Amino acid sequence: MPTKYIFFTGGVVSSVGKGVTAAAIGRTLKERGFAVTAQKLDPYLNVDPGTMSPYQHGEVYVLDDGAETDLDLGHYERFMDVRLNRVCNTTTGQIYAEIISKERRGDFLGGTIQVIPHITNEIKRRITLVAKTTNAEIVLVEVGGTVGDIESQPFLESLRQLRRELGRENTMYIHVTWLPYIGATGELKTKPTQHSVSELRSIGINPDMIIARSDYPVDRSLLDKISLYCDVDRRAVVPMTTTPVLYEVPLLLEEAGVADFILERLGLEGRRQPDWNLWRRLVAQVRREKPKVKIALVGKYVELHDAYMSVREALKHAALHLGVEVEILWIHATDLERGRSLEILEEAHGILVPGGFGSRGIEGKILAARYARTHKVPYLGLCLGMQLMVVEFARYVFNDERANSTEFDRTTPYPVIDLLPEQQQITEMGGTMRLGLYPCQLKPGTKAAQAYQETLVQERHRHRFEFNNAYREIFENAGMVFSGLSPDGRLVEIAELADHPFMLGTQFHPEFLSRPTRPHPLFKAFVKAACEYAGVTVQPFEMEAI
């Protein structure tokens, strides 16, 4: 069959939930037997979000091939349980860099380079490339931002052209919009949605479906009104009320008949009956009252929880399958440095230090690692969290507070974390780290090997600095176990303490491979250790039970 494309646009405000909506719709189509994938089109001029502050963009999500991408790709992978690649995230920066590079080489034979057709042709090429590289039958394409943004116009024009080129039967437009609530009158308003659709239609795109997002129940009369004024089939105006359970969204869309309408619109028939048994049980498990364990997440961007989206979800996945509920205690690392929030740290049954860059808050994270080591509190360090666990251990071993990573102190007498020789001369920041999937050989009998129940695993990386092997023997003699190494033995991937209930750090980011139906083994082991520390009995979730 020809590849089918579903294009998602956003209206009224940004952060309306296009990514989750697209991911959830992808899941409903996958349940019907189709090979589905997704792509995010980001209108910013950065080549990728790798050099952007999390305050600007939330977390940077890393794929198997090392692509640094938008956090919505995390939603796609978690909901649809797929593995995406770098063509699944395209930015304006990438488009313009490609076109300018071709112009400099003379590929355009002296022609004038214009947004139409040169930029739009490159956008269309990258959209159709997704199906070729993934063999997907249905490609869901989300345009970042909001209709009306000047940055989005080339992308929207490309989508308009694609309907003509691919055929109406192979393309579908879904507009995800927001219904604002006026507190003074107690009303939801459809007028902004009408204006948004009018803006879309003015550039030649008529939405086939409208997902009307709201924090309040949407009356049928409002849906009738949207259908009438926006000229959209009444069946295709779907209310989507905010739910506290993220993974309930596919079930809500299923109940609304969204997938059936999409297949009908694209001329397809489902290959099998969707089986939502496990998914419904997962949602019921989320809603069920469960004993709580408190996990302190010590970071430098904790004001913006989206900066740790995958970490948060991985903790929830693990807790869900252990029959407990994780309460995350968000602690700003700089507060610990100033003597604040220590009482919150003392409440925790587990301490997690995630990845990050820059020197701000480093000493606070080291303090958290020291507290975990000395008080025997379960600890999980991710990337930088592992490196600072090593720094803290070095300060204990050498009895010298000057031990450090050369990322933060180039003159430290104990550079226990340092650049590899091949990284020494790199000057450009973007895309030059150790990125993507790398193998890790596990040492038998360690906590890491016990968690994985495997000898060789593949994990996603995003870092520049590594453990300095000059200190490997000294640390091993002092009680640190290097339980995961690269197959050639050159790179330390996992470190753990032998005389601690659970103190383990990974050079990689295990959170990127956690799924709601398949929690990551290290997160599961960490949360289980936190339960033991808290005296909470785990009640494992039975995947096979109906």
Side-chain angles (χ1 to χ4, degrees), residues 353-407:
V353 178
F357 296 90
S359 58
R360 183 169 62 89
I362 292 303
E363 292 301 324
K365 294 181 179 183
I366 291 172
L367 191 154
R370 176 163 297 165
Y371 184 89
R373 179 179 60 81
T374 56
H375 289 79
K376 305 293 185 184
V377 181
Y379 176 96
L380 180 61
L382 309 175
C383 196
L384 179 63
M386 174 265 203
Q387 295 174 2
L388 296 181
M389 175 185 120
V390 167
V391 169
E392 193 285 322
F393 190 74
R395 293 180 180 184
Y396 160 69
V397 169
F398 298 117
N399 194 26
D400 193 329
E401 291 296 303
R402 295 176 299 166
N404 215 326
S405 163
T406 55
E407 181 179 3

Side-chain angles (χ1 to χ4, degrees), residues 9-19 21 145 176-179 211 213:
T9 55
V12 183
V13 292
S14 58
S15 303
V16 74
K18 292 193 307 295
T21 302
V176 184
T177 183
W178 181 252
L179 303 183
I211 306 285
R213 288 274 295 106

Side-chain angles (χ1 to χ4, degrees), residues 286-539:
V286 175
R287 293 187 181 281
R288 188 172 66 81
E289 280 289 320
K290 301 179 289 294
K292 283 187 178 179
V293 289
K294 297 179 179 181
I295 303 295
L297 192 152
V298 184
K300 59 188 284 189
Y301 310 109
V302 293
E303 307 95 319
L304 182 70
H305 294 180
D306 277 5
Y308 304 106
M309 174 75 77
S310 293
V311 174
R312 184 181 68 189
E313 292 306 305
L315 284 170
K316 288 181 179 178
H317 301 163
L320 191 66
H321 284 258
L322 291 169
V324 298
E325 185 174 338
V326 161
E327 179 185 348
I328 299 178
L329 309 177
W330 300 91
I331 299 178
H332 206 296
T334 54
D335 283 348
L336 289 179
E337 291 179 351
R338 295 166 185 160
R340 300 198 295 262
S341 298
L342 190 59
E343 71 282 359
I344 302 177
L345 195 68
E346 290 169 349
E347 282 182 48
H349 306 126
I351 297 171
L352 189 150
V353 178
F357 296 90
S359 58
R360 183 169 62 89
I362 292 303
E363 292 301 324
K365 294 181 179 183
I366 291 172
L367 191 154
R370 176 163 297 165
Y371 184 89
R373 179 179 60 81
T374 56
H375 289 79
K376 305 293 185 184
V377 181
Y379 176 96
L380 180 61
L382 309 175
C383 196
L384 179 63
M386 174 265 203
Q387 295 174 2
L388 296 181
M389 175 185 120
V390 167
V391 169
E392 193 285 322
F393 190 74
R395 293 180 180 184
Y396 160 69
V397 169
F398 298 117
N399 194 26
D400 193 329
E401 291 296 303
R402 295 176 299 166
N404 215 326
S405 163
T406 55
E407 181 179 3
F408 314 118
D409 181 3
R410 293 183 181 180
T411 63
T412 173
Y414 303 105
V416 291
I417 302 293
D418 199 2
L419 286 173
L420 291 174
E422 57 264 32
Q423 286 276 341
Q424 299 280 357
Q425 305 306 316
I426 290 176
T427 55
E428 291 192 1
M429 297 296 290
T432 56
M433 295 179 280
R434 186 148 75 100
L435 288 162
L437 214 60
Y438 285 85
C440 171
Q441 189 82 42
L442 300 173
K443 185 175 182 179
T446 59
K447 292 181 179 68
Q450 187 178 352
Y452 277 107
Q453 294 290 300
E454 293 183 54
T455 56
L456 184 71
V457 294
Q458 303 267 348
E459 294 283 359
R460 293 175 179 177
H461 291 247
R462 183 179 182 246
H463 59 92
R464 195 180 309 278
F465 289 78
E466 305 276 358
F467 179 82
N468 187 341
N469 286 324
Y471 296 92
R472 196 184 286 189
E473 187 177 346
I474 299 169
F475 277 28
E476 285 178 328
N477 292 337
M480 182 169 276
V481 179
F482 299 108
S483 50
L485 301 173
S486 58
D488 62 5
R490 181 171 175 242
L491 302 173
V492 169
E493 299 283 22
I494 308 175
E496 59 185 66
L497 294 189
D499 62 345
H500 193 285
F502 190 95
M503 190 160 191
L504 183 148
T506 67
Q507 186 70 84
F508 48 82
H509 288 268
E511 66 269 25
F512 293 144
L513 293 181
S514 186
R515 303 287 180 263
T517 56
R518 198 172 57 257
H520 193 283
L522 292 182
F523 274 87
K524 200 169 176 182
F526 168 61
V527 173
K528 188 175 182 182
C531 290
E532 290 170 3
Y533 181 85
V536 169
T537 303
V538 300
Q539 298 174 316

Side-chain angles (χ1 to χ4, degrees), residues 64-130:
D64 287 352
D65 59 9
E68 296 174 284
T69 70
D70 183 80
L71 62 79
D72 276 326
L73 275 78
H75 291 313
Y76 304 156
E77 288 204 337
R78 284 188 288 271
F79 275 87
M80 296 191 284
D81 200 3
V82 293
R83 304 282 278 258
L84 305 178
N85 60 39
R86 66 177 60 251
V87 301
C88 297
N89 195 189
T90 291
T91 69
T92 296
Q94 292 171 14
I95 300 293
Y96 275 82
E98 178 74 17
I99 294 301
I100 291 169
S101 174
K102 287 181 176 179
E103 186 273 334
R104 292 289 82 188
R105 289 199 307 264
D107 291 5
F108 297 112
L109 304 176
T112 302
I113 312 306
Q114 297 175 292
V115 173
I116 302 173
H118 300 95
I119 296 299
T120 51
N121 282 348
E122 178 62 16
I123 293 170
K124 290 186 294 183
R125 185 187 74 83
R126 287 176 179 243
I127 290 173
T128 54
L129 188 62
V130 175

Side-chain angles (χ1 to χ4, degrees), residues 26-36 80 137 254 260 263 269-276:
R27 182 76 202 196
T28 65
L29 296 172
K30 185 177 180 180
E31 283 294 328
R32 285 162 169 77
F34 294 97
V36 182
M80 296 191 284
E137 298 168 301
E254 180 69 34
D260 292 334
L263 293 185
E269 288 187 11
R271 293 170 182 158
R272 63 171 187 245
Q273 279 295 109
D275 181 4
W276 293 104

